Structure formats: structure tokens, C-alpha cells
Amino acid sequence: MENTLPFSNDAIVFGILMLCLGIVFFTENLKGKFWTTFYKFIPALLMCYLLPAIFNSLGIISADTSKTYFIASRYLLPASLVLFTISIDLKAVFNLGPKALIMFLTGTVGIIIGGPLAILLISTFSPETVGGAGFDAVWRGLATLAGSWIGGGANQAAMLEIYEYNQELYGGMVLVDIVVANIWMAILLLGIGKRKKIDKWLKADNSAIDALQEKVQNLSEKITRNPTLTDLMVILSIAFVAVGVAHLGSDVISNYLTTNFESVSDPKSALSSFGSGFFWLISIATLIGVLLSFTKVKNYEGAGASKIGSVFIYVLVATIGMKMDLGKILENPGLIFIGLVWMAIHAGLLILVAKLIKAPYFFLAVGSQANVGGAASAPVVAAAFHPSLATVGALLAVFGYVVGTYGALLCAELMRIVATQ
């Protein structure tokens, strides 16, 4: 079938994405009153996400035909994690305390109970929306959402295999996943611009986060230098050699586990996510960065390692934005509404617990995104607060992979019970 997109060549698509990023960064630094006011309310990161979404929605580019997201998530994301992590103070990360983990687990619980509660609420006035029989039953499709929103793609695939949802209807669930998760990510990014007000309302204690940022800042100021061509080449070498090692390790480990352990190779198994190459890719890249942080390699932060990492992250953000089709929001209103109610329950529980334990907005946003967005977007949200915090997002997202299938199984069984009453 002939491609009807105006631009399907990835070189052109990448050029359009870079144009979006260039426009955002250029206008954000203009001193005019309009732009200053605009970016006061709309964070630059959100615009880097929305502009590609607009191009996609207009049919100019499409994530369905482009490989740019795959390249950004498989090459640039692990590279950025290495560059962000080489200057990390691991002790200071652990000094963040248990609130990060509490908020992550709260987000997980919010997804687990949100699905069945959404079915119960919507069945009171629109039972046909949450109905269906046999393999067409809506709860089976929603089980795949639970897998995606607690762990990621591998967990989502496992849920599809376990509950055998009708493949012809599965596209509708994928649409709900993309639309609702992206709307929620946009809201979280919007909140970053208001984080001081939110933290004040939460009565949050930011001292541990501030201490971590200050340590990284002090190290950076102490070793800052004008980068030479040699510095930049060595930084890129460190990043992409690490990415190569991470890919090699992930291939070897995932192949070994899927070949030798039936519980990993069986898509219906709760341990199948350990066969995901992406899980091991992110885990190994983060581990390499942590190990390098104990060596003199950390001094490359002074030559701009985290700035180069930030460039990679913003490219990833643009490719994630390109997956959002604003025109499809109302395509399947019933299913989208289920997803929105579900996400609202997840958000409400996070806000309640954050208020009770006085957790900063950072822990709320990253704890949520480590569940809903997984390893591809949790570091993005974390780095939006400060590059030194990207590692926290990556570590929580890796944890999400581990608990994803188990949490999704529990959620699916609860949805089955309420849907078949």
C-alpha cells in the first residue's frame, strides 16, 4: 500500500523533530514579555512533547512509519542514563529516603485498584462500555493496560497472552494506552512548572532532593571547564561504548534466560518480563553509569556530560510526543473514559499519600511515571527536575518491570470479578 504521509523519510522526520526542539529552546530564551509569560505557565519540556504531537495529528509525520522513537529509546536513552549517572552521588540518592519507593508503590496500588473501581463506576450508568463476553470481554483488554501501566511493553504483551483478548479489538486498547498515558504525562510535565506551589500545598520536605542537586552542582562547578573536541569525543565514546556493552549484555542475558528457563520464555508466565531485552538494556546502562561514578570518569561532568545527556533526552521526548495523535482522543470515547477514570483514581491516591507523608511533587511525578510510562519516560520526567535525578527515575522504572506482571495479574483478576458479577 502506498504511503500517503507527506514525510515518511526518517531523515526528514528527524529534521522536523529537531526544528520543534530548536523553536522551543530559542523562544524560551527570548526576553520578550510574551515568551517569558508563556513559558512561566507552559514548561519547555511540555512544548517539546506537544509540537511533534501536533505534526503527527496533522498527518505530516507518524510514529507508525518512523523508526526515530526506536532509535531514541534504544540508543539515546541508555546513553543519556550513563551520562547522567557518571556524576551521581549514590549515597545521596539513598539519602532521599523511603518516600520515593512509597510513592512508586502507591502508584502501583492506584493502577491495581483503579481498573476494577473504574469498571464498577462506569457499569452503573453504561454497562455496555465495560461488558463483552468470552475473549471479547472488555476486562481482558483492560488487563493489557494494567500490564503497560505498571511495568511496560513486555508486561503488556504478557497480559495479552495470558488473558487471550481478541486481537482484532486489541488496537482499541493500545489507543487508550497511548492517549491516556500521554495526557497524564502532559499533566505531570505541566505540574513541574508549578512544583514550588504544589510542594508548598503538600507541605513537602525537599531537603534531601536539594542536597543531592547541590552535591552534583558543587562537583560540576569545581571541575567545570570549556570542553575541547577531545573532551566531547571521549564523552560520546564513554556513552556509546556503554550502550554497546548494555546491548550485548541484554542480548546475552535475555537469550540465556528465555532459552534455559521455561518460566521466562512462556509469554503467559509472571516471570516473562525478565526475558525483555529492553529491561536488561536499561538495567545494565544504569549499572555501568553507577560503576563509572566511582572513577575519574565522573570528572567529564565538568566538560558537559549531563548536557549532552540532556540533548539525547529531549530528542527522546520529541519522539514520544510524535506517538500522540490528538485527533484520536474522541475516537473511542467509552474506552478512553474508562482509561481517564482509571488514571484519575491512580492520581488521586498519589496526591492523598503525598499529602499524608509530605512527599515532594518530584516523588509523586516520578513514582507515577515509573509505573505508567516505564523506563522510556520516567528518567525524562526525573531529569526535568534536575539531570542528577534521572537515575532515580531509571531505578524505579526497572523496579516497575519486576513487579509489573504480578501487579497486573492481581488487577486483571479483580476486574474479572467485578465485570462478571
Side-chain angles (χ1 to χ4, degrees):
M1 194 174 85
E2 194 177 330
N3 200 313
T4 56
L5 282 172
F7 302 116
S8 55
N9 182 322
D10 267 348
I12 301 170
V13 172
F14 185 67
I16 292 170
L17 296 179
M18 292 307 295
L19 173 65
C20 293
L21 295 177
I23 289 170
V24 172
F25 276 85
F26 179 76
T27 53
E28 189 195 17
N29 282 280
L30 292 177
K31 303 299 180 189
K33 188 178 179 182
F34 172 79
W35 292 113
T36 305
T37 306
F38 180 83
Y39 284 108
K40 184 180 176 183
F41 293 100
I42 310 291
L45 185 63
L46 179 58
M47 288 305 299
C48 293
Y49 174 83
L50 282 179
L51 287 181
I54 292 168
F55 276 104
N56 179 49
S57 304
L58 294 173
I60 296 169
I61 57 177
S62 171
D64 294 334
T65 58
S66 174
K67 294 285 190 293
T68 49
Y69 170 74
F70 180 85
I71 292 167
S73 62
R74 266 59 178 182
Y75 305 146
L76 301 187
L77 173 60
S80 69
L81 289 175
V82 172
L83 295 179
F84 285 145
T85 309
I86 58 172
S87 61
I88 199 70
D89 185 322
L90 204 58
K91 187 181 175 186
V93 170
F94 288 126
N95 284 345
L96 291 175
K99 288 183 181 178
L101 191 57
I102 290 169
M103 292 309 295
F104 166 78
L105 292 173
T106 299
T108 305
V109 172
I111 297 298
I112 290 171
I113 66 170
L117 285 176
I119 289 176
L120 276 175
L121 287 168
I122 292 165
S123 65
T124 59
F125 59 88
S126 181
E128 67 281 358
T129 305
V130 293
F135 297 123
D136 293 349
V138 171
W139 71 266
R140 292 179 188 271
L142 296 177
T144 66
L145 282 188
S148 176
W149 289 351
I150 298 175
N155 308 86
Q156 185 175 25
M159 290 299 105
L160 183 61
E161 288 287 337
I162 291 166
Y163 291 102
E164 300 177 328
Y165 184 57
N166 186 338
Q167 293 273 2
E168 291 180 13
L169 300 174
Y170 179 53
M173 292 299 167
V174 173
L175 176 66
V176 177
D177 181 11
I178 294 168
V179 170
V180 176
N182 285 351
I183 288 173
W184 177 234
M185 184 174 174
I187 292 168
L188 289 176
L189 295 177
L190 195 60
I192 292 173
K194 317 258 189 226
R195 64 182 180 270
K196 287 184 180 177
K197 286 184 180 178
I198 295 171
D199 283 340
K200 189 176 178 183
W201 179 77
L202 291 170
K203 296 180 181 174
D205 177 14
N206 270 297
S207 55
I209 297 171
D210 293 339
L212 175 58
Q213 290 180 2
E214 198 175 329
K215 275 196 173 183
V216 174
Q217 193 72 34
N218 290 342
L219 170 70
S220 181
E221 286 172 4
K222 201 181 294 180
I223 58 178
T224 292
R225 61 185 187 272
N226 282 328
T228 63
L229 177 60
T230 301
D231 285 331
L232 296 175
M233 290 305 293
V234 170
I235 289 169
L236 290 172
S237 173
I238 290 165
F240 288 105
V241 167
V243 171
V245 171
H247 271 275
L248 176 64
S250 70
D251 288 346
V252 170
I253 294 170
S254 60
N255 286 338
Y256 175 80
L257 292 175
T258 50
T259 303
N260 293 285
F261 296 93
E262 195 178 330
S263 57
V264 176
S265 61
D266 181 4
K268 296 186 178 184
S269 167
L271 296 174
S272 62
S273 58
F274 286 103
S276 164
F278 191 58
F279 166 77
W280 291 109
L281 174 64
I282 298 304
S283 302
I284 295 169
T286 305
L287 177 62
I288 291 171
V290 169
L291 293 175
L292 290 175
S293 73
F294 293 102
T295 70
K296 288 186 177 180
V297 168
K298 76 187 306 175
N299 290 329
Y300 279 101
E301 171 57 25
S306 65
K307 287 188 177 69
I308 295 174
S310 295
V311 171
F312 296 159
I313 279 285
Y314 276 100
V315 173
L316 175 64
V317 169
T319 64
I320 293 173
M322 188 175 64
K323 295 169 78 175
M324 177 69 165
D325 187 341
L326 301 170
K328 287 189 175 179
I329 290 175
L330 297 176
E331 198 170 274
N332 197 334
L335 286 177
I336 298 284
F337 187 62
I338 296 172
L340 291 173
V341 171
W342 191 345
M343 197 59 71
I345 293 166
H346 163 79
L349 189 62
L350 280 167
I351 293 166
L352 175 65
V353 173
K355 184 78 173 166
L356 288 173
I357 67 171
K358 298 180 180 177
Y361 179 65
F362 168 73
F363 290 146
L364 187 157
V366 176
S368 171
Q369 206 57 30
N371 280 287
V372 178
S377 57
V380 171
V381 172
F385 288 84
H386 194 275
S388 65
L389 299 170
T391 311
V392 180
L395 291 172
L396 287 176
V398 165
F399 191 50
Y401 265 108
V402 176
V403 302
T405 305
Y406 297 102
L409 281 168
L410 176 56
C411 178
E413 289 305 313
L414 290 173
M415 289 192 291
R416 181 180 64 80
I417 291 165
V418 299
T420 55
Q421 281 181 341

